Amino acid sequence: MNPFRDYLSAVWNILRKDLQVEWRGRQGVPVMLVFSLLVVFLFNFALQLSPDLQAGLAAGLLWVSLAFASTLGLNRSVSLEQENKAMDGMLMAPVDRSAIYFGKVLSNFSFTFLVGLVLLPVFSLFYQQNMFKPMLVLVMVLGLGAYTSLGTLLAALSIQTRTRDVLLPVLLYPLALPILIAAVESSRSILAGQPIADYQSWMTFLLAGNILFTAAGLMFFETILEE
Amino acid sequence: MNPFRDYLSAVWNILRKDLQVEWRGRQGVPVMLVFSLLVVFLFNFALQLSPDLQAGLAAGLLWVSLAFASTLGLNRSVSLEQENKAMDGMLMAPVDRSAIYFGKVLSNFSFTFLVGLVLLPVFSLFYQQNMFKPMLVLVMVLGLGAYTSLGTLLAALSIQTRTRDVLLPVLLYPLALPILIAAVESSRSILAGQPIADYQSWMTFLLAGNILFTAAGLMFFETILEE
Amino acid sequence: MSAQPSDTNRQIVVNDLVKKYHARSVLNHLFITMDKGALCILVGDNGVGKTTLLRILAGLVRPDSGEIAIGNSSSSREPQHRRMIGYLGHHSMLYQDLNAIENLTHYARLYQLTQAEKIVSESIQSVDLKNSQYQMVRTYSRGMQQRLSVARSLLHDPEVLLLDEPYTGLDKQGAQFLDMRLQSLHRQGKTIFLAAHRPHRLLSFASHVAWLKDGAIAEYSPVQDIPGHPDLAAYLQESA
Amino acid sequence: MSAQPSDTNRQIVVNDLVKKYHARSVLNHLFITMDKGALCILVGDNGVGKTTLLRILAGLVRPDSGEIAIGNSSSSREPQHRRMIGYLGHHSMLYQDLNAIENLTHYARLYQLTQAEKIVSESIQSVDLKNSQYQMVRTYSRGMQQRLSVARSLLHDPEVLLLDEPYTGLDKQGAQFLDMRLQSLHRQGKTIFLAAHRPHRLLSFASHVAWLKDGAIAEYSPVQDIPGHPDLAAYLQESA
Amino acid sequence: MTKKPKLLSLLDILCLILVPGALVLILFFTPIERVMGPVQKVFYFHVSAAWAGMLSFLIAAVAGGVYLSTRKQKWDWLSLSSIEVGLVFGLIAILSGMIWAQPIWNTWWVWDPRLTTTAIMELIYLAYFILRSSLNTPESRARLGAVYAIVSAATVPLTFFSIRLFRTIHPVVIAAGGSGESAFNMTPRMLLAFFVSLFVFTLLLIDLVWHRSRLARLQAVNRGEGV
Ligand code: HEM
Ligand SMILES: Nc1ncnc2c1ncn2[C@@H]1O[C@H](COP(=O)(O)OP(=O)(O)OP(=O)(O)O)[C@@H](O)[C@H]1O
Ligand SMILES: Nc1ncnc2c1ncn2[C@@H]1O[C@H](COP(=O)(O)OP(=O)(O)OP(=O)(O)O)[C@@H](O)[C@H]1O
Ligand SMILES: [Mg+2]
Ligand SMILES: [Mg+2]
């Protein structure tokens, strides 16, 4: 058989299993969605932001709520493998560890991206501006791609610990900060209608983040998982 | 034996066990502490607030970061009982369910309050105003008391679900919103040096929240826990 | 202890018990009565409902209908009722991040045992975990966890013991300890209800066998009368 | 499959294996060699390191020093190496929120089995879970989970089977199925390494017994030679 | 326990001489800056401490990489020690910055991106210790600690790079042509003292890390984990 096709099918099998579990009622996506909306409301309340100010904050809030929500998704995706040590079963299968990594990144990415896509029209409504711009969707793909590839790596790291259920955000948020900054900055420029040249460097930065973190995942996933 | 002393000793036994587990390296308090600081720094960053605005936000951020951090603590406190179904062991012991509830509330409260106490000087430094005021500590006791008594109840509810590891924040944040608002409002007034009369009603509200949620916990804890 | 027999000598009474999961009855009008001092083995196929029955008796699961009574109390809400019961289930009910002493001490305190320290130390000694008593339960092997679970369920010297496959994972010496302990408890007049798949080793000292089948007790017989129940005898025979 | 014997006929080789936890050696310079087609029972006290040994062989735990080889491959990094191994541990490795079919299908795909559907359905049939195959594993009883775990570990027809107390929780019929399945695999020339606490039922068809004691294999003997090893015989005797 | 190496003793003596020496140089040799006055002298130690901190995080990452390829405990000890010492130097940088900020900006702290990211960097490495202490075996502490040290060392410069793009009130002197609001031009004497203190801090860093990793080995031997 074609080894490349084998590899892809292994990735797809892992992704498919996660989709199946989600479909069977793990409720990951709905919980993430509700949570991200909650974060938005909570912040508007707790920080007592004035309406005109809020518009400028839309990009920041969008990414903060996405970052928070996707941590829930990552935790979920990890605890799924941890119950009954299902991860051990996957590790013993004749599947490349990097395929496991890619499969998990893809599943985490798709759930989070779905949440992001739903958030866009909601934000458009709340902040009275059309946020459904192709460029913004692209930023979302790049930003969430980098975020989830780093997040999956760190989630695999944190499930090995005794503090498993709470460690992930502590590890992830600060390390993901450059990604979040770049994503917020490009989103802000896009929403302000600036030309691409103004935020191109941020987008390149996001792309580099994707490459860097995926490389790190490929390099370290095996090391992290060996007991 | 004196039934009231028995009751108190049951509460204390449950609290003591949680303290012991924390001491044995569950790392709950350090994780909460680092996380709450992270929330503060990340928000200042993501929201790119102007310096003069930020000062006014100190109260809001204090409570948002406490709320977030204490969700971690609540989740931890729950997963502790869920591993190996240790909760079943406690339910079968000749201990009043309300004592279990109080014990868990007290342990959650003490961890969160500890984090809050550490945050106060840190915030004082970062926001250039002395926040170590007795009234603010009192607000913290009342606010966190209400928050953790509601949180413990909802945590007990969410462990029964399949979505256990992520449901809690979704349930807790919206329900705790009035508490958070009252806490933020009174803190803001205290920091602005206003007279008690200005925020007395908020404090009364917090007190009422404590009574209400504790009553709800006493009433429903048993119902929630029976399988 | 309040386990004084009332008018009768009955210690466990299950009356018309029904437990459904998603409309499927797992326990379907189940009746069983056990006298004080009985050591009854509960046998039955996988998934027939043994664990469900024991958990209902322990007060951990609420039946859909029917009544149960332990001693002369029928409400698991009463602390005195719960104090009478010792339950060992499929999960260890131990805190992973505490060591053996701390775990047992916690339970000793919950049951308000006097001389907790002494009882705990003896209990750990009895299941031969003295050498690893300061080790976190998280690092215990399966058999070591099971030993500690056994110790936990016996800690408060309960009148009624509900044991769900207590021999799981125990080595030779652990199983022998449990044999001896069960026999001595049986002699002391405790009531023991014990689910097991390979009850061979128990038949020599048990008093009764109950066979759970299709949601009800199909056969309930004193051990010496087993030959009179050919189906039950056949079931027990091969499973030895 | 790549399980062709190289120059020798050895299927499992463990050479000078050391595994420490916190400076305490659990496995201390352990050696064992198993020929292709052996069915070896691993016995030993609780906490002696049986699970640790099997997990190291399965590639799930990294030893501190020493070498292991399965077939003629010594690296668990190679997919072909892992394909040869079937492992059944203390945990079921099943997804709680999927049903039996979905769980096994997932594993069938990971092992790239052709005709996955047929194999899965036969496998479920063989462990008698047809009636609950659409039920989430979360709602399975302990024995049902164990049956499905057995099915999972045998699914890809591995050359080397590592089974850690596989009889745990199985009822009479489940245990009989496992007996028969093990015998037939043994006849097919698979190599089986099986930890058990009450190996009585296995002695009639096993080929070897290994006794793990103080971190090393204290005795390793063909079943028919057991009487020549009085200590081992005594250990096995009472534990039957 | 191996005997204390000669080179280490030499380093000790060098540091004992050079650290006060650098201080003398700064206090009496360098001119007083025109605008800021004597407080500008904080500059030498401020920047040197920041540099030493970042250098030691880099050392930690390299040592982590070497650990992963050789699996020799001593590299883990080195990595751990560098992070611990780096945290202290980072703290010195922040504290000296605050001492400087008080007279210049008339406040201990502003929510400036540079300051915030420095604080976040400290939190990143605080989390390293939480991660380690919630792992059970020395082997997993070393392995996962190494992965985390490498991943975080990769993101820290990213953070620093990304904030260079922001408007900040924190001065930039070293960057070519950079001039913040309160930047100043260095006289040759200032430059000399600056490079001397950089050198001295680097020596001090090496000395401290060396001592600390010898201590780490002692601790391991004491716990019976050492080789
Ligand atoms: C709490 C407050 C402060 C913190 C956390 C801080 C942090 C840092 C850090 C991490 C560096 C070295 C890394 C880099 O250059 O990017 C640095 C360099 C420097 N800091 Fe600060 N700083 C603070 C306050 C100040 C103040 C008040 C001044 C002067 C007004 C100042 C002046 C400098 C200068 C001149 C450099 C040289 C580095 C360069 O040119 O890039 N810092 N600071
Ligand atoms: N993570 C760990 N940390 C420390 N010690 C451990 C760890 N895992 C296992 N051990 C110890 O290693 C020893 C061997 O454990 P193992 O699970 O291999 O025993 P076993 O022979 O399978 O026992 P059982 O018959 O009870 O299943 C035990 O003493 C256990 O306490
Ligand atoms: N939460 C649940 N939801 C649906 N069905 C359940 C649930 N819990 C148990 N069941 C079903 O109830 C039946 C009885 O389960 P139980 O665990 O009592 O069996 P058991 O006799 O203890 O079996 P075993 O010998 O395998 O331990 C099983 O068919 C199981 O699938
Ligand atoms: Mg059962
Ligand atoms: Mg074992």
Side-chain angles (χ1 to χ4, degrees):
Chain A
M1 269 212 262
N2 180 338
F4 184 63
R5 271 199 55 184
D6 279 9
Y7 190 87
L8 283 190
S9 97
V11 172
W12 164 233
N13 284 334
I14 286 155
L15 171 60
R16 169 157 59 174
K17 183 261 305 166
D18 279 11
L19 295 174
Q20 212 170 21
V21 171
E22 176 66 24
W23 183 246
R24 279 257 166 266
R26 284 280 283 199
Q27 311 280 359
V29 172
V31 167
M32 278 157 77
L33 197 59
V34 173
F35 186 68
S36 58
L37 291 175
L38 266 177
V39 170
V40 175
F41 287 126
L42 207 67
F43 272 94
N44 275 311
F45 250 112
L47 304 183
Q48 296 273 309
L49 304 171
S50 59
D52 49 319
L53 186 82
Q54 284 167 334
L57 285 181
L61 260 182
L62 175 69
W63 281 99
V64 167
S65 61
L66 270 177
F68 275 47
S70 78
T71 318
L72 291 190
L74 286 165
N75 256 337
R76 210 145 177 55
S77 145
V78 155
S79 72
L80 167 70
E81 304 293 342
Q82 204 54 17
E83 265 187 316
N84 290 338
K85 302 231 175 186
M87 189 52 135
D88 280 356
M90 210 135 70
L91 289 180
M92 283 190 312
V95 171
D96 216 282
R97 267 94 217 262
S98 66
I100 302 182
Y101 174 69
F102 275 129
K104 292 305 275 183
V105 169
L106 279 180
S107 88
N108 289 327
F109 172 77
S110 14
F111 295 143
T112 322
F113 185 57
L114 198 68
V115 173
L117 282 185
V118 179
L119 282 188
L120 281 187
V122 176
F123 267 70
S124 306
L125 200 70
F126 285 151
Y127 294 100
Q128 279 98 42
Q129 52 179 320
N130 176 23
M131 290 178 75
F132 232 128
K133 302 184 175 171
M135 274 318 261
L136 197 55
V137 175
L138 181 64
V139 171
M140 220 175 229
V141 171
L142 289 178
L144 291 180
Y147 191 82
T148 48
S149 44
L150 176 62
T152 306
L153 180 74
L154 294 175
L157 211 148
S158 68
I159 52 169
Q160 316 253 341
T161 68
R162 254 178 295 140
T163 341
R164 125 169 30 112
D165 29 7
V166 297
L167 192 59
L168 179 62
V170 173
L171 299 183
L172 177 56
Y173 292 158
L175 292 182
L177 186 64
I179 296 298
L180 288 179
I181 293 175
V184 170
E185 288 303 318
S186 11
S187 311
R188 206 184 296 240
S189 304
I190 293 169
L191 290 180
Q194 292 171 8
I196 294 194
D198 284 13
Y199 55 87
Q200 203 177 8
S201 55
W202 288 119
M203 300 279 278
T204 322
F205 189 88
L206 284 181
L207 192 66
N210 273 283
I211 295 169
L212 183 79
F213 291 139
T214 311
L218 292 183
M219 251 166 70
F220 295 126
F221 205 64
E222 169 134 27
T223 315
I224 290 174
L225 288 181
E226 82 190 20
E227 198 175 331
Chain B
M1 268 212 262
N2 179 340
F4 183 64
R5 267 199 60 183
D6 279 9
Y7 190 87
L8 283 190
S9 98
V11 172
W12 163 234
N13 285 334
I14 287 154
L15 170 60
R16 169 158 58 174
K17 183 260 304 163
D18 278 12
L19 295 175
Q20 211 171 21
V21 171
E22 175 66 23
W23 183 244
R24 278 257 167 267
R26 285 280 283 199
Q27 307 282 354
V29 172
V31 166
M32 280 159 75
L33 197 59
V34 172
F35 187 68
S36 57
L37 289 176
L38 263 177
V39 170
V40 175
F41 289 122
L42 286 181
F43 271 95
N44 275 301
F45 215 116
L47 304 183
Q48 291 278 309
L49 303 170
S50 58
D52 49 319
L53 187 81
Q54 284 166 331
L57 286 180
L61 258 182
L62 176 69
W63 281 99
V64 167
S65 61
L66 271 178
F68 276 42
S70 79
T71 319
L72 291 190
L74 286 165
N75 256 336
R76 207 141 184 57
S77 145
V78 156
S79 71
L80 167 70
E81 303 292 341
Q82 204 54 19
E83 265 186 316
N84 290 338
K85 303 231 174 186
M87 188 52 134
D88 280 356
M90 210 135 70
L91 289 179
M92 283 190 310
V95 170
D96 215 282
R97 268 94 217 263
S98 65
I100 302 183
Y101 174 70
F102 275 130
K104 293 304 274 184
V105 169
L106 279 181
S107 87
N108 289 327
F109 172 77
S110 15
F111 295 143
T112 323
F113 185 58
L114 197 66
V115 173
L117 282 187
V118 179
L119 282 188
L120 281 186
V122 175
F123 265 71
S124 306
L125 197 71
F126 286 143
Y127 289 100
Q128 280 95 44
Q129 48 182 320
N130 176 23
M131 291 177 78
F132 233 128
K133 301 185 175 169
M135 272 320 258
L136 198 55
V137 175
L138 181 65
V139 171
M140 219 175 231
V141 171
L142 289 178
L144 290 181
Y147 191 82
T148 47
S149 45
L150 176 62
T152 306
L153 183 70
L154 294 177
L157 212 148
S158 67
I159 51 168
Q160 316 255 337
T161 69
R162 251 180 299 142
T163 340
R164 115 169 42 107
D165 29 7
V166 297
L167 192 59
L168 178 63
V170 174
L171 298 181
L172 178 56
Y173 293 158
L175 289 179
L177 192 60
I179 294 298
L180 288 180
I181 292 176
V184 170
E185 288 303 322
S186 7
S187 311
R188 206 182 297 240
S189 305
I190 293 170
L191 290 181
Q194 291 171 10
I196 294 196
D198 284 14
Y199 55 88
Q200 202 177 12
S201 55
W202 287 120
M203 300 279 279
T204 322
F205 187 87
L206 284 181
L207 192 65
N210 272 285
I211 295 168
L212 183 78
F213 292 138
T214 310
L218 292 183
M219 253 166 70
F220 296 126
F221 204 65
E222 169 131 29
T223 320
I224 289 174
L225 287 181
E226 79 190 21
E227 196 176 333
Chain C
M1 297 277 138
S2 72
Q4 295 312 314
S6 54
D7 44 338
T8 72
N9 205 18
R10 294 183 170 166
Q11 188 77 311
I12 299 182
V13 179
V14 177
N15 216 337
D16 201 18
L17 191 69
V18 175
K19 176 71 195 176
K20 292 179 184 166
Y21 284 116
H22 309 295
R24 193 170 66 86
S25 294
V26 172
L27 301 182
N28 203 359
H29 302 290
L30 184 144
F31 295 81
I32 193 170
T33 308
M34 228 167 280
D35 283 346
K36 191 160 156 38
L39 195 174
C40 177
I41 311 172
L42 177 64
V43 296
D45 290 345
N46 284 146
V48 78
K50 300 181 293 301
T51 300
T52 308
L53 175 58
L54 290 177
R55 282 177 67 86
I56 290 174
L57 286 173
L60 291 171
V61 173
R62 179 180 273 252
D64 289 311
S65 70
E67 288 130 37
I68 59 161
I70 306 279
N72 37 26
S73 146
S74 64
S75 158
S76 72
R77 300 207 166 198
E78 281 174 33
Q80 282 311 318
H81 175 106
R82 296 207 290 272
R83 193 187 297 275
M84 283 179 64
I85 301 176
Y87 171 71
L88 171 71
H90 287 334
H91 299 274
S92 70
M93 302 188 200
L94 301 167
Y95 293 95
Q96 299 271 51
D97 294 307
L98 297 181
N99 64 33
I101 296 189
E102 289 162 341
N103 263 296
L104 292 192
T105 306
H106 169 61
Y107 279 103
R109 286 185 192 133
L110 287 185
Y111 282 92
Q112 296 161 302
L113 305 186
T114 47
Q115 293 192 289
E117 208 171 316
K118 186 163 146 281
I119 294 179
V120 165
S121 140
E122 280 170 8
S123 172
I124 288 177
Q125 180 82 65
S126 75
V127 292
D128 206 15
L129 286 174
K130 207 88 194 169
N131 286 332
S132 17
Q133 63 181 352
Y134 294 117
Q135 221 175 299
M136 270 192 201
V137 167
R138 182 182 299 287
T139 66
Y140 274 24
S141 76
R142 179 196 272 199
M144 289 157 79
Q145 293 216 18
Q146 184 71 10
R147 282 162 181 244
L148 194 56
S149 300
V150 169
R152 185 196 53 72
S153 63
L154 300 176
L155 194 68
H156 59 289
D157 195 29
E159 283 302 310
V160 174
L161 266 169
L162 306 169
L163 306 174
D164 201 351
E165 305 185 31
Y167 288 90
T168 303
L170 292 183
D171 64 7
K172 187 180 89 169
Q173 185 244 3
Q176 279 168 349
F177 157 76
L178 189 55
D179 283 348
M180 267 147 57
R181 192 66 198 268
L182 287 178
Q183 289 177 45
S184 103
L185 289 167
H186 184 38
R187 274 195 302 273
Q188 287 167 38
K190 312 283 183 196
T191 313
I192 304 173
F193 197 16
L194 183 158
H197 283 303
R198 276 167 282 288
H200 194 67
R201 65 184 310 131
L202 292 160
L203 287 177
S204 58
F205 58 86
S207 70
H208 291 76
V209 176
W211 187 11
L212 184 57
K213 206 174 147 185
D214 299 330
I217 301 292
E219 307 253 14
Y220 181 51
S221 144
V223 166
Q224 60 274 25
D225 296 352
I226 291 177
H229 299 260
D231 288 352
L232 178 60
Y235 188 81
L236 290 175
Q237 197 50 49
E238 291 166 79
S239 72
Chain D
M1 299 279 138
S2 72
Q4 296 310 317
S6 54
D7 44 338
T8 72
N9 204 19
R10 292 181 172 167
Q11 189 75 314
I12 298 181
V13 179
V14 177
N15 216 337
D16 201 17
L17 190 69
V18 175
K19 176 71 196 176
K20 293 181 186 166
Y21 284 114
H22 307 292
R24 194 170 64 86
S25 295
V26 172
L27 301 181
N28 202 359
H29 303 289
L30 185 146
F31 295 80
I32 194 170
T33 309
M34 229 169 277
D35 283 345
K36 193 160 154 40
L39 196 174
C40 178
I41 311 172
L42 178 63
V43 296
D45 289 347
N46 284 147
V48 78
K50 300 181 294 299
T51 300
T52 307
L53 175 58
L54 291 176
R55 283 177 67 86
I56 289 175
L57 285 173
L60 290 171
V61 172
R62 180 183 271 250
D64 289 311
S65 70
E67 288 130 37
I68 59 160
I70 307 279
N72 36 27
S73 146
S74 64
S75 159
S76 71
R77 301 206 166 196
E78 282 175 31
Q80 282 312 318
H81 176 106
R82 295 207 291 269
R83 193 187 297 277
M84 283 179 64
I85 300 176
Y87 172 70
L88 172 71
H90 288 333
H91 300 274
S92 71
M93 302 187 200
L94 300 167
Y95 292 96
Q96 299 271 48
D97 293 307
L98 297 180
N99 63 33
I101 297 188
E102 289 162 341
N103 262 296
L104 293 192
T105 307
H106 169 60
Y107 278 104
R109 286 187 192 131
L110 287 185
Y111 283 91
Q112 296 162 302
L113 304 185
T114 48
Q115 295 191 286
E117 209 171 316
K118 186 163 146 282
I119 294 179
V120 166
S121 138
E122 281 171 7
S123 171
I124 288 178
Q125 180 81 64
S126 74
V127 292
D128 207 16
L129 286 174
K130 206 88 195 169
N131 287 332
S132 17
Q133 62 182 352
Y134 294 117
Q135 221 175 298
M136 269 191 203
V137 167
R138 184 182 297 287
T139 67
Y140 274 24
S141 76
R142 177 195 273 201
M144 290 158 78
Q145 292 215 19
Q146 184 71 9
R147 283 161 180 245
L148 195 56
S149 298
V150 169
R152 186 196 55 69
S153 62
L154 300 175
L155 195 68
H156 59 289
D157 194 28
E159 283 302 309
V160 174
L161 267 169
L162 307 169
L163 306 174
D164 201 352
E165 304 185 31
Y167 288 90
T168 303
L170 292 182
D171 64 7
K172 185 181 91 170
Q173 184 245 3
Q176 279 168 349
F177 157 76
L178 189 56
D179 284 348
M180 269 148 57
R181 192 66 199 271
L182 287 178
Q183 289 176 43
S184 104
L185 289 167
H186 185 37
R187 275 195 301 274
Q188 287 168 40
K190 312 283 185 197
T191 312
I192 303 172
F193 198 16
L194 184 159
H197 282 302
R198 276 165 282 286
H200 195 67
R201 64 185 310 131
L202 292 159
L203 287 177
S204 58
F205 57 88
S207 71
H208 291 76
V209 176
W211 185 13
L212 184 58
K213 206 174 146 184
D214 299 330
I217 301 292
E219 308 253 13
Y220 180 51
S221 144
V223 167
Q224 60 272 24
D225 297 351
I226 291 178
H229 299 260
D231 289 351
L232 178 60
Y235 188 80
L236 291 175
Q237 198 48 47
E238 292 165 81
S239 73
Chain E
M1 188 66 200
T2 49
K3 254 183 57 197
K4 185 171 168 184
K6 284 243 171 57
L7 190 57
L8 183 56
S9 308
L10 188 69
L11 256 181
D12 287 349
I13 297 166
L14 263 181
C15 287
L16 277 177
I17 299 170
L18 285 181
V19 173
L23 200 60
V24 169
L25 202 65
I26 291 165
L27 288 182
F28 302 111
F29 178 69
T30 59
I32 289 174
E33 210 270 336
R34 206 162 8 90
V35 188
M36 290 185 255
V39 74
Q40 181 268 340
K41 288 180 190 277
V42 170
F43 163 77
Y44 305 98
F45 275 11
H46 173 65
V47 182
S48 303
W51 148 257
M54 282 183 234
L55 180 65
S56 61
F57 294 145
L58 203 70
I59 295 173
V62 173
V66 178
Y67 171 80
L68 288 182
S69 50
T70 62
R71 305 279 172 154
K72 292 247 166 42
Q73 269 181 314
K74 62 175 176 187
W75 295 107
D76 176 50
W77 296 329
L78 178 58
S79 186
L80 167 73
S81 312
S82 311
I83 288 183
E84 206 170 296
V85 174
L87 264 178
V88 174
F89 277 115
L91 199 64
I92 294 176
I94 293 181
L95 291 179
S96 60
M98 290 173 103
I99 292 170
W100 195 355
Q102 174 58 23
I104 300 298
W105 297 336
N106 197 20
T107 166
W108 294 104
W109 185 266
V110 287
W111 288 105
D112 176 85
R114 162 63 55 82
L115 274 52
T116 310
T117 49
T118 309
I120 289 175
M121 178 182 77
E122 291 283 285
L123 289 180
I124 288 180
Y125 286 98
L126 263 185
Y128 173 85
F129 289 99
I130 297 182
L131 171 69
R132 282 185 79 103
S133 55
S134 53
L135 286 162
N136 289 325
T137 63
E139 189 273 333
S140 62
R141 278 197 287 271
R143 177 165 47 85
L144 300 180
V147 171
Y148 184 75
I150 295 170
V151 174
S152 23
T155 56
V156 167
L158 279 187
T159 314
F160 275 89
F161 163 73
S162 62
I163 53 153
R164 299 258 164 186
L165 300 170
F166 283 102
R167 176 182 53 86
T168 162
I169 64 170
H170 185 273
V172 179
V173 180
I174 314 296
S179 62
E181 283 163 36
S182 43
F184 52 90
N185 293 316
M186 282 202 265
T187 66
R189 284 183 161 211
M190 284 178 161
L191 262 182
L192 176 67
F194 176 59
F195 282 119
V196 167
S197 39
L198 273 187
F199 174 72
V200 169
F201 266 66
T202 311
L203 276 192
L204 185 63
L205 165 73
I206 295 171
D207 189 54
L208 289 177
V209 169
W210 196 336
H211 276 292
R212 178 62 185 85
S213 63
R214 280 166 57 83
L215 180 64
R217 176 206 317 224
L218 256 182
Q219 286 171 327
V221 170
N222 192 31
R223 282 193 304 262
E225 288 159 0
V227 275

